[in-house]
Amino acid sequence: MTQKVAVLGTGKIGEALLSGMIGAGWAPADLLVTARRRERAEELHARHGVTPVTNAEAAKSADTLILTVKPQDMGTLLDELAPHVPADRLVISGAAGIPTSFFEERLAPGTPVVRVMTNTPALVDEAMSVISAGTHATADHLAHTEEIFGAVGKTLRVPESQQDACTALSGSGPAYFFYLVEAMTDAGILLGLPRDKAHDLIVQSAIGAATMLRDSGEHPVKLRENVTSPAGTTINAIRELENHGVRAALIAALEAARDRSRELASGSKD
Ligand SMILES: NC(=O)C1=CN([C@@H]2O[C@H](COP(=O)(O)OP(=O)(O)OC[C@H]3O[C@@H](n4cnc5c(N)ncnc54)[C@H](O)[C@@H]3O)[C@@H](O)[C@H]2O)C=CC1
Ligand SMILES: O=C(O)[C@@H]1CCC=N1
């Protein structure tokens, strides 16, 4: 049976998902999209061959609805959708913070809801997507969600109580690495290197380190020790990182991201 999937609020994350699904073999004819602006819908059609529809049309004709609007826009979208979503539709939320209960309270009783936190490496099929079932979501619903998000990278099931922490780690995670690259490139400038060369050196070092983290099977401490020669250069840098409290700063930063995810639970504008 053909399964129609609709992405509602197709911005950065929604488009990355669509693109990955088509790359993994989904027929564009089975993919529906909604966007707030008509030009955006036309752009998505031109780029991917998917069908632009209204939110209400998507609710009526797609088997699976993936909601990728901002958390603050979710309440308004659900007010619009609720009268049109039959209770047998699978509703997948990609929004930070918003719990499955938020959807269950606003949709027909018994509607299956799955919460997913993915990340922007979905654009290069290297996403980390963390998946949790709501009250009425079955093993089949979770497997279908994994199939969709598996098109753009890795998936992991977690209890919903861990979603805010996962949002802080992997949802926002790419931003921390980009920030690190930016700061290390600045350091290269300070040390007298041209910006483009500093950028290339850091990016390739990041790719090499990430590949070793994924493929070597070694603990990160061991990998770092292997770089850190006695009385060498690296230990001087590590001492400065410790003196400046970088480890504590990272722990506090992720805790703050987790707390903000919790605050977004109400879907309010604040
Ligand atoms: N950007 C990121 O790194 C990540 C974002 N997320 C989550 O994904 C969701 C989307 O984030 P982005 O793609 O970055 O945002 P975005 O702003 O690029 O996309 C959201 C889109 O929804 C549209 N929209 C809003 N209300 C609508 C409505 N009623 N009907 C139709 N379209 C509507 C907006 O016009 C916009 O194009 C958010 O809930 C965010 O928490 C999750 C993981 C990572
Ligand atoms: O910053 C945010 O709220 C979104 C959710 C995770 C990554 N970006």
Side-chain angles (χ1 to χ4, degrees), residues 97 169 176-177 259:
L169 262 75
Y176 317 142
F177 290 107
D259 291 348

Side-chain angles (χ1 to χ4, degrees), residues 78 99-113 133-137 160:
L78 284 178
T100 53
S101 58
F102 184 93
F103 301 86
E104 290 165 355
E105 283 158 13
R106 288 163 177 80
L107 295 170
T111 302
V113 180
T135 314
H136 311 293
E160 188 169 4

Side-chain angles (χ1 to χ4, degrees), residues 198-266:
H199 174 84
D200 289 352
L201 294 178
I202 296 301
V203 169
Q204 181 53 29
S205 300
I207 292 168
T211 307
M212 289 175 78
L213 281 166
R214 188 187 58 191
D215 297 344
S216 70
E218 293 283 7
H219 193 280
V221 169
K222 176 80 172 94
L223 293 173
R224 181 168 62 76
E225 279 174 1
N226 290 345
V227 185
T228 312
S229 310
T233 60
T234 313
I235 191 61
N236 283 270
I238 299 292
R239 181 179 58 185
E240 289 304 317
L241 291 172
E242 296 295 349
N243 280 344
H244 286 86
V246 173
R247 185 183 298 263
L250 281 169
I251 292 171
L254 271 68
E255 192 177 32
R258 189 276 316 268
D259 291 348
R260 181 58 184 154
S261 183
R262 285 180 175 168
E263 282 172 12
L264 289 170
S266 67

Side-chain angles (χ1 to χ4, degrees), residues 133-152:
T135 314
H136 311 293
T138 63
D140 282 351
H141 293 128
L142 284 173
H144 185 50
T145 307
E146 282 169 340
E147 194 189 352
I148 291 171
F149 282 83
V152 292

Side-chain angles (χ1 to χ4, degrees), residues 96 117 167 171-172 264:
M117 176 47 51
T167 300
S172 303
L264 289 170

